[in-house]
Amino acid sequence: MGVLIDGTWQVEDPRTKEAGDGSFKRVNSTVRDWIAPEPMPPGRLHLFVAWNCPWAHRAMLLRVVKGLEPEIDISYAAPRRNDQGWVFEPDGEFADTLFGGEALHQVYGRIDPAYTGPATTPLLWDGGAGRAVSNESADILRMLNAAFRDHGPDLAPESLVDQIDAWNAEIHPKLNNGVYRAGFARTQEAYEAGYMDVFETLDRIEAHLGDHRYLCGETITEADLRLFPTLVRFDVAYHGAFKCNRNRLIDMPNLWRYARELYALPAVADTVRFQVYKNGYYSKSELRNPLGIVPLGPDVDWTSDV
């Protein structure tokens, strides 16, 4: 994966070293600022996202669930990276509608001419202040909910924050990132550790949803928005491409009901692109898919009654 080093784009990160135990290590977010919960004119905030990216999907979900499409502008990177990382097209759906750039790393270059770090999505930009705010999806969800608390549902009400944080602390390392720990593992032991965490967590959520509509009861929260991107990619990508194949999502009745209910919320289906996920996760990879063959299936109906 490419990276900016002192403001210069490097196609390969010269600092990358494989973990000694063969496990996958996710890089830390590099932009961690905040916005005050104050009135903001429409269009002041701008999101840079990629359809493929589950972390960007969280921000896309918050934007539609809270009805913030008129408030927060968005630019979608083209759905497959090249040697320049996430890139944009000159116009159309995959254009940089804020700066008109060719690649996301050019946006990161605006943060600091000597910026060092990966150019990842999501990235939240404050046009009013002329600065990048954050590329940490967890922070973006929490701060945007606070900044636009009066728009749509409150996704982190004070009475539920402890429950939300507890679910996030379990689901992120063991499931959201667990599928990557399984899929990108370089040893059998590292793969099995990720795999076991994935299904231990799915089993716990499956049991919990037997008595609860959402993770925190009857109210949709930030925790649900952080879980959904993993679920919607599971059967079409993680089950096969990442060898998380003990069960499919559709084999777990409570999770399948819950995921379809979230999918049926207004505009949520518009944030989902199953073929993009398959093309991305089954893209040609020397280690995972050397021939780059993308499977035709599975054919799963997410619109069936819940």
Side-chain angles (χ1 to χ4, degrees), residues 254-271:
N254 295 329
L255 270 161
W256 182 222
R257 182 271 310 161
Y258 161 84
R260 282 178 295 154
E261 182 172 342
L262 292 174
Y263 182 82
L265 292 173
V268 165
D270 294 336
T271 72

Side-chain angles (χ1 to χ4, degrees), residues 145-200:
N145 181 71
F148 295 95
R149 200 174 295 276
D150 294 336
H151 290 67
D154 183 356
L155 297 170
E158 185 175 352
S159 62
L160 295 178
V161 165
D162 287 347
Q163 290 184 53
I164 293 168
D165 288 345
W167 277 114
N168 291 343
E170 178 176 0
I171 289 172
H172 176 77
K174 297 178 70 174
L175 181 55
N176 297 146
N177 199 44
V179 291
Y180 287 88
R181 290 168 45 223
F184 289 167
R186 298 288 187 102
T187 67
Q188 185 70 30
E189 292 75 16
Y191 159 70
E192 291 182 6
Y195 176 102
M196 295 301 291
D197 276 352
V198 165
F199 286 102
E200 176 186 310

Side-chain angles (χ1 to χ4, degrees), residues 222-262:
E222 168 196 298
D224 301 296
L225 269 57
R226 290 178 51 154
L227 173 59
F228 181 76
T230 299
L231 300 182
V232 82
R233 288 162 173 76
F234 201 88
D235 287 4
V236 298
Y238 301 143
H239 181 272
F242 281 4
K243 303 182 181 68
C244 294
N245 56 3
R246 192 201 74 181
N247 296 100
R248 300 165 300 173
L249 181 65
I250 62 174
D251 299 323
M252 308 183 82
N254 295 329
L255 270 161
W256 182 222
R257 182 271 310 161
Y258 161 84
R260 282 178 295 154
E261 182 172 342
L262 292 174

Side-chain angles (χ1 to χ4, degrees), residues 8-260:
T8 300
W9 179 253
Q10 307 286 332
V11 174
E12 296 292 338
D13 188 346
R15 310 165 303 167
T16 300
K17 294 182 179 179
E18 182 181 339
D21 60 358
S23 61
F24 169 68
K25 306 297 184 185
R26 184 170 295 282
V27 298
N28 293 326
S29 299
T30 52
V31 183
R32 300 291 295 272
D33 209 338
W34 208 263
I35 56 173
E38 61 187 15
M40 294 189 188
R44 171 175 166 175
L45 297 179
H46 194 100
L47 276 168
F48 292 92
V49 300
W51 286 101
N52 318 49
C53 176
W55 321 107
H57 196 178
R58 296 173 171 183
M60 295 163 65
L61 286 166
L62 179 136
R63 182 172 175 263
V64 300
V65 168
K66 288 184 70 70
L68 297 178
E69 297 97 317
E71 310 298 325
I72 302 175
D73 292 338
I74 196 165
S75 291
Y76 300 95
R80 179 170 290 187
R81 287 178 292 192
N82 61 24
D83 63 3
Q84 295 299 302
W86 294 116
V87 296
F88 300 103
E89 296 177 356
D91 50 37
E93 180 182 4
F94 304 122
D96 172 357
T97 60
L98 184 61
F99 298 116
E102 297 177 350
L104 183 61
H105 69 75
Q106 296 171 342
V107 180
Y108 275 80
R110 292 174 177 269
I111 299 172
D112 179 353
Y115 178 86
T116 293
T120 59
T121 66
L123 175 65
L124 179 64
W125 190 275
D126 181 348
R131 67 184 180 97
V133 179
S134 179
N135 66 354
E136 170 50 60
S137 62
D139 292 353
I140 290 171
L141 262 63
R142 190 63 59 91
M143 78 173 80
L144 289 183
N145 181 71
F148 295 95
R149 200 174 295 276
D150 294 336
H151 290 67
D154 183 356
L155 297 170
E158 185 175 352
S159 62
L160 295 178
V161 165
D162 287 347
Q163 290 184 53
I164 293 168
D165 288 345
W167 277 114
N168 291 343
E170 178 176 0
I171 289 172
H172 176 77
K174 297 178 70 174
L175 181 55
N176 297 146
N177 199 44
V179 291
Y180 287 88
R181 290 168 45 223
F184 289 167
R186 298 288 187 102
T187 67
Q188 185 70 30
E189 292 75 16
Y191 159 70
E192 291 182 6
Y195 176 102
M196 295 301 291
D197 276 352
V198 165
F199 286 102
E200 176 186 310
T201 309
L202 286 175
D203 286 343
R204 170 157 148 64
I205 298 171
E206 172 72 8
H208 177 79
L209 291 175
D211 300 314
H212 302 83
R213 183 178 181 184
Y214 299 114
L215 288 176
C216 296
E218 296 300 304
T219 303
I220 186 172
T221 68
E222 168 196 298
D224 301 296
L225 269 57
R226 290 178 51 154
L227 173 59
F228 181 76
T230 299
L231 300 182
V232 82
R233 288 162 173 76
F234 201 88
D235 287 4
V236 298
Y238 301 143
H239 181 272
F242 281 4
K243 303 182 181 68
C244 294
N245 56 3
R246 192 201 74 181
N247 296 100
R248 300 165 300 173
L249 181 65
I250 62 174
D251 299 323
M252 308 183 82
N254 295 329
L255 270 161
W256 182 222
R257 182 271 310 161
Y258 161 84
R260 282 178 295 154

